[in-house]
Amino acid sequence: MAGLPLAGCSKSEFELAGVTGVVSCDGRPLPKANVVFQPNDGVGTTSIGFTNDAGEYELVFSRKEKGAIVGGHEVQINVWPTEENPRPIRLPARYNTATELKAEVIPGANTFNFDLATDKSAKRKS
């Protein structure tokens, strides 16, 4: 046991890159959204961010490291009920459980903006 590394004591074994962006819905910033980047190959940890009131997010890989693993990702965005917002905007499954969102993280700084539309908005435009 003495030879085993302790979890969380060393830098990530993965190449990470910074990821920021803005999430909007129906043309307006989407506050308090959960943004998840899951590596396509299933190897490694997801990176997570939360949008502020302006819809801006920054991904975090671990408690000590920001960013996401370099490579392709499936992106999921959702808004969960909270005490202050018990009935949040309902996003279509194409942005979360059946996501169609993708991102290719490259070394260096990355910006991924997501402009989402509710089903109500899509019906109005038709």
Side-chain angles (χ1 to χ4, degrees):
M1 292 272 278
L4 295 175
L6 297 175
C9 291
S10 62
K11 281 281 197 191
S12 171
E13 62 193 76
F14 301 101
E15 181 182 2
L16 301 177
V19 177
T20 60
V22 175
V23 179
S24 59
C25 186
D26 297 335
R28 294 186 305 255
L30 184 61
K32 298 186 181 23
N34 180 13
V35 181
V36 178
F37 276 49
Q38 172 66 47
N40 286 342
D41 59 12
V43 176
T45 303
T46 59
S47 292
I48 300 172
F50 295 93
T51 60
N52 62 20
D53 288 342
E56 302 164 331
Y57 72 93
E58 180 175 21
L59 293 183
V60 176
F61 180 76
S62 70
R63 287 184 181 172
K64 296 182 179 182
E65 298 174 289
K66 293 182 180 183
I69 296 173
V70 171
H73 292 263
E74 180 178 89
V75 180
Q76 296 179 355
I77 301 174
N78 215 329
V79 182
W80 305 107
T82 63
E83 258 185 53
E84 65 256 355
N85 188 15
R87 298 183 68 186
I89 190 167
R90 183 178 206 132
L91 294 175
R94 69 181 174 271
Y95 303 132
N96 44 66
T97 57
T99 191
E100 299 169 355
L101 302 175
K102 308 282 183 215
E104 183 71 28
V105 177
I106 60 173
N110 294 262
T111 301
F112 296 103
N113 297 325
F114 299 97
D115 188 16
L116 314 180
T118 59
D119 285 334
K120 289 183 217 175
S121 172
K123 289 176 186 172
R124 280 192 301 244
K125 291 180 182 178
S126 300

